[in-house]
């Protein structure tokens, strides 16, 4: 044998093609004690906050306490599964480019998810809830309401766990939306003969569907473009476009960009996906403890006075014919309009009457905490009817003609109205943030391996990882700002595939087919699963 031939281990090709062992770096010993300490501390904080919220309401029965605890446990379980299912995508690039050791990357992503949830606006949370039929939201405290919440949550968890077990990066956003649609469709089928159902809000479904459809296409195309730009700008730094050599980290600048984009994706995921769990938890709280959570009790007396004035002024703008309807008649007209979408001459006067009366009723109480339970539920439902009617009329361009000052007034009133309904208590944010963050740290490896090793035929390069993360971070953050739910999984997986195509690395079509199949079947599967569970649960509560 020729002694001048270098050993295989010294060959650059051998080293560059060697699989990275970063993904298998063991978890530090301090992780479990810190993990348990955080859980216990957070549970104590949540316990104190819930006790404070419930201090001014009648004591809950044992049945209500068990039901509340079970519902919250399942809702947080969904966010926990969401954490290790979806957030794993955010750390795949930094792990497979050796930008961070796997345990550090996972813990950092979990922390960033926590922060993202804590600063979330709540717009996505209530956008998801708007997919449910209005009558189900208004009657969430009924047996059917609880059947709805349990059915959609359990269906979402089962599908997420199944795809995670198989290592398929399916979308938790698709999963939850499919579960919500399944419940809504089953509710429509069961009540269509009575006419007491508004069916599915197709406008909202189309809006959400567009976000979920176009975001992966945007991720694929823009990631490919960004990668080609990076390749042009850094064309002399060839190491950026070669697979990492063993566990060698990328150059400092690229490493900083990879860590920054991983941070951004994790933060954006928390602020977007975390809100879905918040919205469902709020439905649970409103249904079981309406006196404590139906209305935003943090609004002060000045806010109530402002609402009274805005209500009177808005009612004047709307009620051009000076028709006055009773609350009962107004509710009937608005409910029928929302259910049938057929506008009659009574709709706008009914909205004007409801607007005026809401201001008067709220003004009779100096503090929202002083409103009795029956009145709280009634006021909340009337507010929800009003805000939904405003949206429908606005979309149909059916509101009365207004000048700019009047349009500004009505917009301010609608914003003020939403402030009573669209709020998230801090302890709910903390609970969801904890579940999402800890979920990220626990079950990340299956999905990470699929994204890092199985989408492309070749190992991910530094340039590919940076480009994919940068596009994913920007897309998710933009969607969050617009209040649109997008899938972190779809965006990042598509971005990785886009860089593979741009780099001519080749796609592993077996894995791509599996992922696409999961994406295609997620909606129909979860629709059927949640619809079936809802029907089963109704048999026990009806």
């Amino acid at each position: 044998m020729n002694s001048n031939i270098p050993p295989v281990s010294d060959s650059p090709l051998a080293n560059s093609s060697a699989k990275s062992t970063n993904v298998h770096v063991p978890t530090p010993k301090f992780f479990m004690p810190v993990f348990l300490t955080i859980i216990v501390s957070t549970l104590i904080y949540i316990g104190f906050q819930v006790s404070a919220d419930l201090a001014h309401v009648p004591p809950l029965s044992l049945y209500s306490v068990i039901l509340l605890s079970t519902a919250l446990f399942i809702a947080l379980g969904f966010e926990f599964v969401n954490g290790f299912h979806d957030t794993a995508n955010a750390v795949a690039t930094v792990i497979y480019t050796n930008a961070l050791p796997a345990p550090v990357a996972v813990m950092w992503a979990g922390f960033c998810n926590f922060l993202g949830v804590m600063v979330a606006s709540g717009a996505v949370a209530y956008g998801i809830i708007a997919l449910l039929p209005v009558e189900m939201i208004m009657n969430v405290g009924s047996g059917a309401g609880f059947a709805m919440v349990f059915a959609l949550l359990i269906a979402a968890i089962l599908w997420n766990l199944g795809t995670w077990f198989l290592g398929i990066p399916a979308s938790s956003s698709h999963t939850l939306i499919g579960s919500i649609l399944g419940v809504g469709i089953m509710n429509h089928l069961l009540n269509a003969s009575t006419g007491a159902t508004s069916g599915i809000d197709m406008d909202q479904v189309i809006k959400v569907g567009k976000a979920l459809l176009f975001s992966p296409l945007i991720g694929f195309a823009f990631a490919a473009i960004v990668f080609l730009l990076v390749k042009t700008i850094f064309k002399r730094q060839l190491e950026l476009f070669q697979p990492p050599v063993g566990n060698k980290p990328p150059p400092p600048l690229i490493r900083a960009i990879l860590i920054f984009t991983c941070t951004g994706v994790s933060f954006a995921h928390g602020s977007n996906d975390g809100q879905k769990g918040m919205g469902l938890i709020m439905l649970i709280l409103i249904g079981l403890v309406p006196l404590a959570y139906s209305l935003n009790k943090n609004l002060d007396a000045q806010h109530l006075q402002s609402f009274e004035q805005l209500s009177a002024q808005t009612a004047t703008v709307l009620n051009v014919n000076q028709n006055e309807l009773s609350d009962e008649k107004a509710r009937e007209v608005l409910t029928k309009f929302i259910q049938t979408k057929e506008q009659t001459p009574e709709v706008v006067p009914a909205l004007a009457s409801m607007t005026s009366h809401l201001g008067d009723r709220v003004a009779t109480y100096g503090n929202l905490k002083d409103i009795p339970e029956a009145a709280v539920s009634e006021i909340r439902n009337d507010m929800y009817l009003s805000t939904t009617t405003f949206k429908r009329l606005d979309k149909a361009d059916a509101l009365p003609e207004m000048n700019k000052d009047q349009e500004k007034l009505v917009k301010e009133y609608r914003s003020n109205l939403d402030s009573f309904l669209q709020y998230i208590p801090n302890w709910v944010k903390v609970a969801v943030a904890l579940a999402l963050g800890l979920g990220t740290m626990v079950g990340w490896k299956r999905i990470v391996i699929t994204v890092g090793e199985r989408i492309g035929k070749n190992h991910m390069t530094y340039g590919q990882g940076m480009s994919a993360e940068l596009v994913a971070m920007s897309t998710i953050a933009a969607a969050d700002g617009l209040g649109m739910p997008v899938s972190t999984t779809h965006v990042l997986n598509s971005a990785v595939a886009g860089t593979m195509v741009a780099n001519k690395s080749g796609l592993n079509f077996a894995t791509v087919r599996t992922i696409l199949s999961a994406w295609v079947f997620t909606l129909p599967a979860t629709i059927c699963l949640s619809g079936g569970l809802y029907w089963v649960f109704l048999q026990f509560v009806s």
Side-chain angles (χ1 to χ4, degrees):
M1 181 181 290
N2 190 339
S3 59
N4 293 327
I5 298 176
V8 173
S9 59
D10 293 335
S11 166
L13 179 62
N15 283 335
S16 65
S17 61
K19 285 188 177 180
S20 169
T21 58
N22 187 22
V23 73
H24 302 295
V25 172
T27 302
K29 293 181 180 180
F30 68 80
F31 173 76
M32 189 53 67
V34 172
F35 183 89
L36 295 175
T37 301
I38 291 174
I39 291 177
V40 172
S41 302
T42 305
L43 289 176
I44 292 172
Y45 165 77
I46 293 172
F48 276 115
Q49 293 299 311
V50 173
S51 298
D53 289 345
L54 302 183
H56 304 289
V57 304
L60 298 179
S61 65
L62 179 61
Y63 171 76
S64 295
V65 171
I66 293 174
L67 196 60
L68 177 61
S69 302
T70 304
L72 290 177
F73 178 79
I74 294 175
L76 293 174
F78 166 77
E79 284 301 335
F80 184 81
V81 175
N82 186 6
F84 64 68
H85 196 284
D86 273 24
T87 315
N89 293 276
V91 296
T93 52
V94 290
I95 290 175
Y96 273 91
T97 56
N98 304 320
L100 285 174
V104 175
V106 170
M107 286 186 276
W108 178 245
F111 176 70
C112 292
N113 266 278
F114 183 95
L115 291 181
V117 174
M118 292 305 298
V119 303
S121 64
V124 173
Y126 287 95
I128 287 290
I129 290 176
L131 289 171
L132 289 166
V134 173
E135 68 275 0
M136 297 186 77
I137 297 174
M138 293 173 61
N139 298 308
V140 70
S142 64
F146 297 133
M148 167 193 73
V149 172
F150 281 112
L152 67 90
L153 281 172
I154 292 173
I157 290 173
L158 289 175
W159 184 258
N160 271 349
L161 283 176
T163 51
W164 166 82
F165 181 77
L166 297 173
I168 303 173
S171 166
S172 291
S173 298
H174 264 172
T175 301
L176 182 58
I177 290 168
S179 299
I180 290 173
L181 292 178
V183 168
I185 292 170
M186 180 58 70
N187 177 69
H188 180 72
L189 293 176
L190 295 175
N191 296 291
S193 59
T194 65
T197 174
S198 59
I200 302 298
D201 186 347
M202 290 308 300
D203 290 336
Q204 188 70 14
V205 170
I206 291 171
K207 176 184 174 183
V208 172
K210 285 180 179 178
L212 292 173
L213 174 64
F214 289 114
S215 56
L217 298 178
I218 291 170
F220 182 92
F222 276 85
I225 293 170
V226 169
F227 176 75
L228 292 175
L229 288 174
V230 169
K231 206 167 186 179
T232 302
I233 295 169
F234 298 100
K235 59 184 178 182
R236 294 186 179 180
Q237 298 186 29
L238 298 179
E239 64 178 323
L240 296 182
F241 311 105
Q242 298 295 329
V245 178
N247 287 339
K248 179 184 176 182
L253 176 61
I254 303 303
R255 187 177 193 180
I257 294 174
L258 280 163
I259 295 172
F260 170 73
T261 50
C262 169
T263 300
V265 170
S266 300
F267 182 86
H269 176 267
S271 65
N272 193 289
D273 274 41
Q275 294 190 57
K276 296 157 191 170
M278 290 182 206
L280 294 173
I281 288 175
M282 288 310 298
L283 279 181
I284 294 166
L285 295 174
I286 290 167
L288 284 169
V289 200
L291 192 56
Y293 297 107
S294 287
L295 299 175
N296 185 0
K297 300 297 179 63
N298 296 320
L299 301 178
D300 56 22
Q302 185 177 355
H303 192 97
L304 302 189
Q305 292 174 3
S306 173
F307 179 73
E308 179 189 12
Q309 295 170 359
L310 285 170
S311 297
Q313 293 168 344
T314 303
T316 302
V317 171
L318 294 175
N319 201 0
V320 292
N321 297 322
Q322 300 297 310
N323 294 334
E324 187 76 13
L325 280 72
S326 67
D327 285 342
E328 292 75 13
K329 180 63 176 177
R331 285 187 202 106
E332 180 185 339
V333 171
L334 297 184
T335 301
K336 186 175 181 181
F337 167 65
I338 291 170
Q339 290 178 339
T340 64
K341 301 179 180 62
E342 295 177 5
Q343 187 179 347
T344 65
E346 289 183 308
V347 172
V348 174
L351 179 59
S353 299
M354 184 67 75
T355 299
S356 176
H357 298 166
L358 274 172
D360 293 338
R361 279 187 284 166
V362 170
T364 59
Y365 303 96
N367 192 316
L368 288 178
K369 294 178 181 178
D370 298 332
I371 305 178
E373 185 169 358
V376 164
S377 297
E378 185 178 87
I379 289 173
R380 177 187 177 274
N381 283 349
D382 287 348
M383 285 182 169
Y384 198 86
L385 272 178
S386 297
T387 192
T388 305
T389 303
F390 267 115
K391 290 176 184 176
R392 295 277 174 88
L393 290 174
D394 195 14
K395 186 175 288 292
D397 199 22
L399 287 169
E401 291 186 13
M402 293 177 271
N403 58 40
K404 289 185 178 180
D405 290 337
Q406 290 173 329
E407 288 178 355
K408 183 179 179 181
L409 172 69
V410 172
K411 184 178 180 180
E412 187 178 355
Y413 170 73
R414 291 175 61 180
S415 176
N416 203 297
L417 186 63
D418 286 341
S419 68
F420 285 87
L421 304 173
Q422 297 187 8
Y423 81 103
I424 311 289
N426 284 333
W427 72 263
V428 173
K429 288 188 175 184
V430 170
V432 170
L434 179 73
L436 196 62
L438 295 182
T440 303
M441 301 179 194
V442 171
W444 54 274
K445 189 174 289 187
R446 286 178 182 271
I447 305 298
V448 165
I449 290 175
T450 297
V451 176
E453 297 182 13
R454 297 172 183 166
I455 291 180
K457 291 182 178 179
N458 297 319
H459 196 291
M460 184 185 298
T461 67
Y462 303 131
Q464 288 175 310
M466 179 185 69
S467 303
E469 284 275 25
L470 189 61
V471 169
M473 178 187 73
S474 303
T475 303
I476 298 166
D480 188 40
L482 296 171
M484 301 174 72
V486 296
S487 166
T488 302
T489 302
H490 286 193
V491 173
L492 190 63
N493 286 194
S494 299
V496 170
T499 64
M500 292 290 177
V501 171
N503 196 40
K504 299 180 181 179
S505 305
L507 292 176
N508 185 339
F509 284 104
T511 300
V512 171
R513 277 196 301 269
T514 301
I515 293 174
L516 288 176
S517 297
W519 291 3
V520 170
F521 286 111
T522 290
L523 278 177
T526 49
I527 285 172
C528 293
L529 184 57
S530 67
L533 287 173
Y534 178 59
W535 181 84
V536 170
F537 292 159
L538 281 178
Q539 310 311 307
F540 295 96
V541 298
S542 57

